[in-house]
Coordinates of all heavy atoms in Angstrom, one line a residue:
L1 N 0.8 -1.2 0.0 CA 0.0 0.0 0.0 C 0.9 1.3 0.0 O 0.6 2.2 -0.7 CB -0.9 0.0 1.2 CG -2.1 -1.0 1.2 CD1 -2.8 -1.0 2.5 CD2 -3.0 -0.7 0.0
A2 N 1.9 1.3 0.8 CA 2.8 2.4 0.8 C 3.5 2.6 -0.5 O 3.6 3.8 -1.0 CB 3.9 2.2 1.9
A3 N 4.0 1.5 -1.1 CA 4.6 1.7 -2.4 C 3.7 2.1 -3.5 O 4.1 2.9 -4.4 CB 5.3 0.3 -2.8
Q4 N 2.4 1.7 -3.4 CA 1.4 2.1 -4.4 C 1.3 3.6 -4.3 O 1.2 4.3 -5.4 CB 0.1 1.4 -4.1 CG -0.1 0.1 -4.8 CD -0.4 0.2 -6.2 OE1 0.4 0.6 -7.1 NE2 -1.6 -0.2 -6.6
L5 N 1.2 4.2 -3.1 CA 1.0 5.6 -3.0 C 2.2 6.4 -3.4 O 2.1 7.4 -4.1 CB 0.6 5.9 -1.5 CG -0.7 5.4 -1.0 CD1 -0.9 5.7 0.5 CD2 -1.9 6.1 -1.7
I6 N 3.4 5.9 -3.0 CA 4.6 6.7 -3.3 C 5.0 6.5 -4.8 O 5.4 7.5 -5.4 CB 5.7 6.2 -2.4 CG1 5.4 6.5 -0.9 CG2 7.1 6.9 -2.7 CD1 6.3 5.9 0.1
V7 N 5.0 5.3 -5.3 CA 5.5 5.1 -6.6 C 4.4 5.1 -7.7 O 4.6 5.9 -8.7 CB 6.2 3.7 -6.7 CG1 6.8 3.4 -8.1 CG2 7.4 3.7 -5.7
S8 N 3.4 4.4 -7.5 CA 2.4 4.3 -8.6 C 1.5 5.6 -8.7 O 1.2 6.1 -9.8 CB 1.4 3.1 -8.4 OG 2.1 1.9 -8.4
V9 N 1.2 6.1 -7.6 CA 0.3 7.3 -7.6 C 1.1 8.6 -7.8 O 0.8 9.5 -8.6 CB -0.5 7.4 -6.3 CG1 -1.3 8.7 -6.2 CG2 -1.5 6.2 -6.1
A10 N 2.2 8.7 -7.1 CA 3.0 10.0 -7.1 C 4.1 10.0 -8.2 O 4.1 10.7 -9.1 CB 3.6 10.3 -5.8
L11 N 5.1 9.1 -8.1 CA 6.3 9.1 -8.9 C 5.9 8.8 -10.4 O 6.3 9.5 -11.3 CB 7.3 8.1 -8.4 CG 8.6 8.0 -9.3 CD1 9.3 9.3 -9.4 CD2 9.5 6.9 -8.7
E12 N 5.2 7.7 -10.6 CA 4.9 7.4 -12.0 C 4.1 8.4 -12.7 O 4.3 8.8 -13.8 CB 4.1 6.0 -12.0 CG 3.7 5.6 -13.4 CD 2.2 5.7 -13.5 OE1 1.5 5.2 -12.6 OE2 1.7 6.3 -14.5
R13 N 3.1 9.0 -12.0 CA 2.2 10.1 -12.6 C 3.1 11.3 -12.8 O 2.9 11.9 -13.9 CB 1.1 10.4 -11.6 CG 0.2 11.6 -12.0 CD -0.3 11.4 -13.4 NE -1.0 10.2 -13.7 CZ -1.5 9.8 -14.8 NH1 -1.4 10.6 -15.9 NH2 -2.1 8.7 -15.0
A14 N 4.0 11.6 -11.9 CA 4.8 12.8 -12.1 C 5.7 12.6 -13.4 O 5.9 13.6 -14.1 CB 5.7 13.1 -10.9
L15 N 6.3 11.4 -13.5 CA 7.2 11.2 -14.7 C 6.4 11.3 -16.0 O 6.9 11.9 -17.0 CB 7.8 9.8 -14.6 CG 8.9 9.7 -13.5 CD1 9.3 8.2 -13.3 CD2 10.1 10.5 -13.8
K16 N 5.2 10.8 -16.0 CA 4.4 10.9 -17.3 C 4.2 12.3 -17.6 O 4.3 12.7 -18.8 CB 3.0 10.2 -17.0 CG 2.9 8.7 -17.1 CD 1.5 8.3 -16.9 CE 1.3 6.8 -17.1 NZ 1.4 6.4 -18.5
I17 N 3.8 13.2 -16.7 CA 3.6 14.6 -16.9 C 4.8 15.3 -17.4 O 4.9 16.1 -18.3 CB 3.0 15.2 -15.7 CG1 1.6 14.6 -15.4 CG2 2.9 16.7 -15.8 CD1 1.0 15.0 -14.1
V18 N 5.9 15.1 -16.6 CA 7.2 15.8 -16.9 C 7.8 15.4 -18.3 O 8.2 16.2 -19.0 CB 8.2 15.5 -15.8 CG1 9.6 16.0 -16.2 CG2 7.7 16.2 -14.5
I19 N 7.7 14.1 -18.6 CA 8.3 13.6 -19.8 C 7.5 14.0 -21.0 O 8.1 14.5 -22.1 CB 8.5 12.1 -19.8 CG1 9.5 11.7 -18.7 CG2 9.0 11.6 -21.2 CD1 9.7 10.2 -18.4
G20 N 6.2 13.9 -21.0 CA 5.3 14.3 -22.0 C 5.5 13.6 -23.4 O 5.4 14.3 -24.4
R21 N 5.7 12.3 -23.4 CA 5.9 11.6 -24.6 C 4.6 11.3 -25.3 O 3.7 10.8 -24.7 CB 6.7 10.3 -24.4 CG 7.0 9.6 -25.7 CD 7.7 8.2 -25.4 NE 8.2 7.8 -26.7 CZ 8.8 6.6 -26.8 NH1 8.9 5.8 -25.8 NH2 9.3 6.2 -28.0
P22 N 4.5 11.6 -26.6 CA 3.2 11.2 -27.3 C 3.0 9.7 -27.4 O 4.0 9.0 -27.6 CB 3.4 11.9 -28.7 CG 4.9 12.0 -28.9 CD 5.5 12.2 -27.5
R23 N 1.8 9.3 -27.4 CA 1.5 7.9 -27.5 C 1.6 7.5 -29.0 O 1.6 8.3 -29.9 CB 0.1 7.6 -27.0 CG 0.0 7.8 -25.5 CD -1.4 7.3 -24.9 NE -1.6 7.6 -23.5 CZ -1.2 6.8 -22.5 NH1 -0.7 5.6 -22.8 NH2 -1.4 7.2 -21.3
P24 N 1.6 6.2 -29.2 CA 1.7 5.7 -30.6 C 0.5 6.2 -31.4 O -0.6 6.3 -30.9 CB 1.6 4.2 -30.5 CG 2.2 3.9 -29.1 CD 1.7 5.0 -28.3
G25 N 0.7 6.7 -32.6 CA -0.3 7.3 -33.4 C -0.6 8.7 -33.2 O -1.3 9.4 -34.0
V26 N -0.1 9.3 -32.1 CA -0.3 10.7 -31.9 C 0.7 11.6 -32.7 O 0.3 12.6 -33.3 CB -0.2 11.0 -30.4 CG1 -0.3 12.5 -30.1 CG2 -1.3 10.3 -29.6
G27 N 1.9 11.2 -32.7 CA 3.0 11.9 -33.4 C 3.4 13.2 -32.8 O 2.9 13.6 -31.7
G28 N 4.3 13.9 -33.4 CA 4.8 15.1 -32.9 C 5.9 15.0 -31.9 O 6.2 13.8 -31.5
P29 N 6.4 16.1 -31.4 CA 7.5 16.0 -30.4 C 7.0 15.7 -29.0 O 5.8 15.7 -28.8 CB 8.1 17.4 -30.5 CG 6.9 18.3 -30.9 CD 6.0 17.4 -31.8
F30 N 7.9 15.5 -28.1 CA 7.6 15.4 -26.7 C 7.1 16.8 -26.2 O 7.5 17.8 -26.7 CB 8.9 15.1 -25.9 CG 9.3 13.6 -25.9 CD1 9.5 13.0 -27.2 CD2 9.5 12.9 -24.8 CE1 9.9 11.7 -27.2 CE2 9.9 11.6 -24.8 CZ 10.1 11.0 -26.0
L31 N 6.1 16.7 -25.3 CA 5.6 18.0 -24.7 C 5.8 17.9 -23.2 O 4.9 17.5 -22.5 CB 4.1 18.2 -25.1 CG 3.8 18.4 -26.5 CD1 2.3 18.5 -26.7 CD2 4.5 19.7 -27.1
P32 N 7.0 18.3 -22.7 CA 7.3 18.2 -21.3 C 6.3 19.0 -20.5 O 5.8 20.0 -20.9 CB 8.7 18.7 -21.2 CG 9.3 18.5 -22.5 CD 8.2 18.7 -23.5
V33 N 6.0 18.5 -19.3 CA 5.0 19.1 -18.4 C 3.6 19.2 -19.1 O 3.0 20.2 -19.2 CB 5.5 20.4 -17.8 CG1 4.6 20.8 -16.6 CG2 6.9 20.4 -17.5
S34 N 3.2 18.0 -19.6 CA 1.9 18.0 -20.3 C 0.9 17.1 -19.4 O 1.2 16.0 -19.0 CB 2.1 17.3 -21.6 OG 0.8 17.1 -22.2
F35 N -0.3 17.6 -19.3 CA -1.4 16.9 -18.6 C -2.3 16.2 -19.5 O -3.3 15.6 -19.1 CB -2.2 17.9 -17.7 CG -1.4 18.4 -16.5 CD1 -0.6 19.5 -16.6 CD2 -1.4 17.7 -15.3 CE1 0.2 20.0 -15.6 CE2 -0.6 18.2 -14.2 CZ 0.1 19.3 -14.4
D36 N -2.0 16.3 -20.8 CA -2.8 15.6 -21.9 C -2.4 14.1 -21.9 O -1.3 13.7 -22.0 CB -2.4 16.3 -23.2 CG -3.2 15.6 -24.4 OD1 -4.1 14.9 -24.1 OD2 -2.8 15.9 -25.5
A37 N -3.5 13.3 -21.7 CA -3.2 11.8 -21.7 C -2.6 11.3 -22.9 O -1.8 10.4 -22.9 CB -4.6 11.1 -21.5
A38 N -2.8 12.0 -24.1 CA -2.2 11.6 -25.3 C -0.6 11.8 -25.3 O 0.1 11.3 -26.1 CB -2.8 12.4 -26.5
H39 N -0.2 12.6 -24.4 CA 1.3 12.9 -24.2 C 1.8 12.4 -22.9 O 2.7 13.0 -22.3 CB 1.6 14.4 -24.4 CG 1.4 14.8 -25.8 ND1 0.2 15.2 -26.4 CD2 2.3 14.9 -26.8 CE1 0.4 15.5 -27.6 NE2 1.6 15.4 -28.0
N40 N 1.2 11.3 -22.4 CA 1.6 10.7 -21.1 C 2.0 9.3 -21.3 O 1.6 8.4 -20.5 CB 0.5 10.8 -20.0 CG 0.3 12.2 -19.5 OD1 -0.7 12.5 -18.9 ND2 1.2 13.2 -19.8
S41 N 2.7 9.0 -22.4 CA 3.0 7.6 -22.7 C 4.1 7.0 -21.9 O 4.1 5.8 -21.7 CB 3.4 7.6 -24.2 OG 3.5 6.2 -24.7
M42 N 5.1 7.8 -21.5 CA 6.3 7.2 -20.8 C 6.3 7.7 -19.3 O 6.2 8.9 -19.1 CB 7.6 7.7 -21.5 CG 8.9 7.5 -20.8 SD 9.4 5.9 -20.7 CE 10.3 5.8 -22.3
P43 N 6.4 6.8 -18.4 CA 6.4 5.3 -18.5 C 5.0 4.7 -18.6 O 4.0 5.4 -18.2 CB 7.1 4.9 -17.2 CG 6.7 5.9 -16.2 CD 6.6 7.2 -17.0
S44 N 4.9 3.4 -18.9 CA 3.6 2.7 -18.9 C 3.2 2.5 -17.5 O 3.8 1.8 -16.7 CB 3.7 1.4 -19.6 OG 2.6 0.6 -19.4
G45 N 2.0 3.1 -17.1 CA 1.5 2.9 -15.8 C 1.0 1.5 -15.5 O 1.2 1.0 -14.4
H46 N 0.4 0.9 -16.5 CA 0.0 -0.5 -16.3 C 1.2 -1.4 -16.0 O 1.1 -2.3 -15.1 CB -0.8 -1.0 -17.6 CG -2.1 -0.5 -17.7 ND1 -2.4 0.8 -18.1 CD2 -3.4 -1.1 -17.6 CE1 -3.7 1.0 -18.2 NE2 -4.3 -0.1 -17.9

């Protein structure tokens, strides 16, 4: 439970937003600090 909160909820989500990688089929450059789900490809949360 602790690791879920610290890593899955906080760290992984922060990395997705900061990296801003487009998902397959979206195209275009990375958009760092993006809250758009289409640019939250890296890392895979699942």
Side-chain angles (χ1 to χ4, degrees):
L1 290 173
Q4 274 280 67
L5 291 173
I6 296 170
V7 178
S8 297
V9 175
L11 178 59
E12 176 253 312
R13 175 54 52 184
L15 288 171
K16 280 180 174 287
I17 293 169
V18 170
I19 295 171
R21 186 183 193 183
R23 293 185 186 272
V26 174
F30 282 52
L31 294 178
V33 194
S34 173
F35 292 89
D36 177 14
H39 289 84
N40 289 166
S41 189
M42 167 72 85
S44 167
H46 285 71

